Amino acid sequence: MSTASNAAPSAAELHAAFPDERVTHSHVQDVDLPGGAGRFALLTLDNGEDHTRPSTLGPASLTELGLVLDRLRTRAEAGEIVGIGVTGKPFVFAVGADLKGVATITERDHALVIGRLGHQVLGRLHGMPVPTFAFTNGVALGGGVEIGLHCDYRTLSSGVPALALPECFLGLVPGWGGCTLLPRLVGPELALKVILEGPLSNNRMLTGPQAFGLGMADALFEPAAFLEDSLRWAAGVISGEVTVERAPASHDESAWEAAVSAAKQLVDEKTGGAAPAPYRALELVRAARTASREEGFAAEEEALADLLMSDELRAGLYAFDLVQRHAKRPAGAPDRSRARPVTKVGVVGAGLMASQLALLFVRRLKVPVVLTDLDQQRVDQGVAWVHAEIDKLVEKGRLGGDGGNRLRALVSGSTSTESFADADLVIEAVFEELSVKQQVFAEVEQVVSPDCVLATNTSSLSVSAMAAGLRHPERVVGLHFFNPVAVMPLLEVIRGDRTDDATLATGFAAGKALRKSCVLVKDSPSFVVNRLLGRFMAEVGRIVDEGTPLEVADRAFAGLAPMPPFVLIGLVGPTIALHNTETLHEAFPERFPVPESLRRVVAAGKRRYYTQEAGRPRLDPEVVELLPEPVPPVVLHEPQVRDQVLEALAEEARLMLDEGVVASARELDLAMLTGAGFSFWNGGLTPLLDRIGVAERVTGSRFLPGGVASVPPAAAG
């Protein structure tokens, strides 16, 4: 079918566009409500898989749901049922559109029909002859949330771990009613927090109680008896014994415009205008104040069709696939059968990084973990920190009391490496100095078994050099975690020159058990993320040293990096940033200059570039005094800064791939998404470099074939 065709695709054509859809079925069970309130139709969404494969809503799933709702309307009209409720399988309500299938769409006609089908089906829940209820028992994302918005009433389980409209994170909008209905329910300000602020803040999601607090549901029940309590509550609503009171959403034009204006400022700061989806969402929310339901839905459909055929959405889907699927099959990892069991872990060091590692290992592996350091006070502080963090998990309800006691009992400390004698894996997290790490491994090797894996958390040093003087260098592997350890998903697994397959397989197995996204990396200076960020920072530092105001350089990267570069330096610490830059300068002096401004900031003992003033960042005047004053200055504008830095990143990425630092551009992008927080709508890094032509201009070719992380060439034409 041509993209210019006026004929809407048939249902068969639409289903054919989603050949691998795992159909979510709509199972109906009649329930006699308590108190004699009548017979109630309970519809359960279930794709037949466990909670690790959430129920999605592809064309076949929506079509079935529509047919079931039509039958229920007929029954309601005949007086057979007094209400309809929708719930999900255990732990999952529904997670929206089938994103894997969306990536196969190559025609705008199909994209437009996806939006229409969602409205037509979910819209059946509105205006039924009997009240409709959404009983959100578990994870609800995107279209799952929109199911609830179409219903007359909503209950939420307090145990729901994630509820969100994450579409703008990927490059879409909530287009099955979200942008039209949510602001009318809770008001534009709160709606925009869900539609924009959460997705643009690293896809932050709400818990059940948080969503209830925003007014997204009428009742909140504990998970143990959630369905029973929801049915009892629904019976009260139907019988008139329960009166549902909701705070009226404002339709005042000035209040509405103020909310949209404030949200636009956030979008500008987060995206720099580089992502179209958040701006389309703003337009839809603004229009929702006066648009009819039909007009709002039609506008959502047009926005969905445009965005589904955009490169930003395709890059977002590419990124989603990397994180959700590709990361589960790390390129180059040895067969998992080669991995050795890990029944005890040793951590060398008891500082903050080492303590974070200890907490992660004990939480995920549930095996004994022992920390060592030079003196007992530091050991005690490290163990106490881990115990305190476990206590916090118990207080928050993320661990039971008995579970917390068991984990605390597994964590111990010592000043002697003898405590590692029966460990299967020992990881060092000491000062980033090669000689120090070599000494640590030499001491540990004296007491551990020949099969014990020795891992280093180095962020930049040579794993091979650390292992060179050992009796068994084949047992050494790099496991580079990112800070904060509990939050950052990436684990760079570094193979030294003599690392054997069993050691490497054990590293990958541990990473999987720790729920990290593992990327195999060649032993090379600063590995993947820190090398690319190092090139980024070196180039930005050069630009500032040559005369461009620091604030201008910081503003140039909205929508590319998760935060401005000099804010990032303040987060990781100028001293660490300088160390990484010097390491890279030693390896590649012509591409990694050490910025004079960074040297001066470290020498002056400054820990960050910005101070806080009235809740807003302000460039520290003392830092300004430290900046070089070149004569004559070379002052660049924001687009020039961005272009120059992206050209440097394109060059570095190509060199890294040519050197075999990682297997392909996919691994490079996965690392930048999960280790550096680069934007999903850019696909990480290489799709952006391809999209804007920098890749071909600098390196002579694209990083990815057309259509992999962009609209297929035929569709784009």
Side-chain angles (χ1 to χ4, degrees):
M1 180 185 294
S2 167
T3 57
S5 171
N6 292 321
S10 66
E13 287 177 303
L14 193 58
H15 292 178
F18 289 71
D20 299 321
E21 177 183 356
R22 177 67 185 180
V23 177
T24 295
H25 295 290
S26 300
H27 303 294
V28 177
Q29 175 187 4
D30 282 359
V31 177
D32 290 325
L33 292 174
R39 180 154 294 180
F40 187 87
L42 181 64
L43 188 159
T44 301
L45 300 170
D46 191 346
N47 64 357
E49 304 280 354
D50 65 18
H51 68 280
T52 63
R53 294 281 300 274
S55 302
T56 57
L57 300 173
S61 304
L62 286 170
T63 299
E64 179 178 322
L65 176 59
L67 293 173
V68 169
L69 290 174
D70 285 342
R71 290 197 291 270
L72 291 177
R73 170 176 284 276
T74 299
R75 294 185 64 198
E77 290 171 342
E80 296 179 13
I81 53 176
V82 297
I84 299 168
V86 183
T87 192
K89 67 183 184 181
F91 309 111
V92 177
F93 185 71
V95 297
D98 178 1
L99 292 177
K100 186 177 180 182
V102 165
T104 68
I105 295 175
T106 59
E107 302 182 21
R108 191 180 186 278
D109 286 348
H110 284 163
L112 188 61
V113 171
I114 290 293
R116 288 177 181 164
L117 181 61
H119 283 129
Q120 290 167 1
V121 172
L122 303 192
R124 287 168 163 84
L125 290 162
H126 175 75
M128 279 278 191
V130 295
T132 55
F133 299 79
F135 302 147
T136 305
N137 62 302
V139 174
L141 307 178
V145 173
E146 287 166 313
I147 287 174
L149 294 175
H150 283 272
C151 290
D152 300 318
Y153 303 98
R154 291 158 289 278
T155 68
L156 266 172
S157 167
S158 62
V160 169
L163 184 148
L165 292 172
E167 287 85 351
C168 285
F169 178 70
L170 291 173
L172 277 177
V173 295
W176 286 348
C179 287
T180 300
L181 299 178
L182 186 59
R184 294 179 179 180
L185 177 67
V186 301
E189 183 178 356
L190 295 180
L192 287 166
K193 286 184 179 294
V194 181
I195 294 169
L196 289 176
E197 187 176 320
L200 297 183
S201 300
N202 293 319
N203 204 23
R204 187 177 66 236
M205 300 186 183
L206 302 169
T207 62
Q210 288 170 336
F212 177 72
L214 293 181
M216 295 179 68
D218 302 305
L220 183 73
F221 298 117
E222 291 298 312
F226 172 72
L227 187 56
E228 293 86 346
D229 289 343
S230 293
L231 289 169
R232 187 177 298 108
W233 182 83
V237 171
I238 291 169
S239 67
E241 295 177 6
V242 172
T243 301
V244 177
E245 296 182 358
R246 298 173 185 154
S250 171
H251 283 74
D252 177 73
E253 182 177 3
S254 60
W256 206 281
E257 284 300 317
V260 172
S261 177
K264 184 180 183 300
Q265 183 178 347
L266 172 73
V267 172
D268 289 340
E269 291 175 357
K270 293 286 190 178
T271 74
Y279 294 97
R280 292 299 289 270
L282 281 171
E283 293 172 9
L284 292 167
V285 171
R286 174 183 280 119
R289 186 180 71 85
T290 57
S292 68
R293 190 181 182 93
E294 292 73 20
E295 290 168 341
F297 289 178
E300 288 181 349
E301 290 160 10
E302 292 295 331
L304 273 182
D306 289 341
L307 293 168
L308 282 167
M309 300 306 294
S310 70
D311 284 338
E312 289 81 5
L313 182 274
R314 300 311 172 107
L317 295 178
Y318 162 80
F320 183 82
D321 185 73
L322 287 180
V323 171
Q324 296 296 319
R325 296 184 180 88
H326 189 76
K328 295 175 182 177
R329 303 180 299 276
D335 190 283
R336 68 185 65 180
S337 65
R338 303 293 302 276
R340 300 189 184 105
V342 175
T343 61
K344 180 179 178 179
V345 174
V347 181
V348 184
L352 181 57
M353 190 67 184
S355 299
Q356 289 184 79
L357 292 174
L359 177 64
L360 180 68
F361 275 102
V362 77
R363 280 194 69 194
R364 300 302 184 206
L365 301 190
K366 295 179 174 57
V367 300
V369 176
V370 58
L371 296 96
T372 65
D373 213 312
L374 298 177
D375 64 73
Q376 191 63 47
Q377 182 179 358
R378 294 166 74 173
V379 170
D380 292 344
Q381 288 173 342
V383 173
W385 185 92
V386 177
H387 285 177
E389 291 299 307
I390 293 171
D391 290 341
K392 291 177 185 177
L393 293 171
V394 174
E395 291 169 9
K396 294 176 181 177
R398 297 174 65 183
L399 265 180
D402 290 343
N405 290 335
R406 283 194 293 272
L407 292 189
R408 278 190 294 269
L410 290 171
V411 181
S412 61
S414 174
T415 57
S416 170
T417 56
E418 294 292 337
S419 58
F420 296 152
D422 55 345
D424 301 302
L425 185 150
V426 175
I427 184 167
E428 67 77 23
V430 299
F431 184 68
E432 192 76 348
E433 180 69 46
L434 181 60
S435 61
V436 174
K437 293 178 184 289
Q438 288 173 326
Q439 181 181 350
V440 163
F441 276 161
E443 293 174 358
V444 171
E445 191 177 43
Q446 300 301 313
V447 299
V448 297
S449 70
D451 290 335
C452 177
V453 171
L454 302 184
T456 170
N457 186 47
T458 181
S459 60
S460 60
L461 302 176
S462 170
V463 174
S464 301
M466 277 182 225
L470 299 178
R471 294 195 306 273
H472 295 286
E474 71 279 358
R475 66 157 102 202
V476 178
V477 66
L479 296 180
H480 178 213
F481 294 84
F482 289 75
N483 197 19
V485 172
V487 175
M488 299 301 289
L490 179 63
L491 177 61
E492 291 179 333
V493 182
I494 301 100
R495 181 169 204 159
D497 291 343
R498 299 179 65 180
T499 305
D500 64 22
D501 281 353
T503 298
L504 195 64
T506 304
F508 274 102
K512 181 179 181 181
L514 297 172
R515 304 181 190 177
K516 296 298 182 183
S517 296
C518 299
V519 174
L520 178 62
V521 184
K522 178 182 177 182
D523 188 16
S524 57
S526 294
F527 316 127
V528 181
V529 172
N530 283 348
R531 178 165 166 182
L532 284 169
L533 288 181
R535 184 70 190 271
F536 185 0
M537 300 310 305
E539 201 65 31
V540 174
R542 187 209 311 262
I543 290 169
V544 170
D545 282 359
E546 291 175 351
T548 297
L550 188 149
E551 309 97 301
V552 172
D554 260 353
R555 289 196 301 266
F557 301 101
L560 171 64
M563 63 188 71
F566 290 98
V567 175
L568 177 63
I569 290 180
L571 181 67
V572 303
T575 302
I576 294 174
L578 178 61
H579 174 80
N580 185 54
T581 303
E582 288 175 337
T583 299
L584 287 163
H585 176 74
E586 184 177 338
F588 313 111
E590 71 287 354
R591 300 197 310 278
F592 289 85
V594 180
E596 178 60 26
S597 54
L598 181 58
R599 290 189 193 275
R600 294 182 183 182
V601 166
V602 172
K606 303 298 294 183
R607 300 180 64 181
R608 55 186 57 86
Y609 287 74
Y610 289 87
T611 59
Q612 289 292 317
E613 189 171 285
R616 301 287 296 178
R618 175 177 175 268
L619 189 59
D620 187 339
E622 294 180 9
V623 169
V624 175
E625 292 297 318
L626 295 170
L627 299 179
E629 297 180 358
V631 179
V634 178
V635 180
L636 303 181
H637 299 297
E638 291 168 26
Q640 294 171 306
V641 174
R642 185 181 176 96
D643 287 348
Q644 186 168 318
V645 172
L646 287 176
E647 288 175 357
L649 287 174
E651 179 188 36
E652 201 62 34
R654 180 68 70 195
L655 288 168
M656 290 169 68
L657 292 174
D658 290 345
E659 294 167 15
V661 175
V662 288
S664 73
R666 284 178 169 83
E667 279 65 45
L668 192 151
D669 288 323
L670 176 61
M672 297 307 287
L673 288 162
T674 57
F678 272 37
S679 304
F680 265 51
W681 61 75
N682 288 329
L685 178 62
T686 68
L688 172 66
L689 299 175
D690 286 341
R691 182 195 312 158
I692 63 178
V694 170
E696 291 183 87
R697 185 169 72 247
V698 174
T699 74
S701 63
R702 296 172 59 94
F703 286 98
L704 298 166
V708 171
S710 58
V711 177

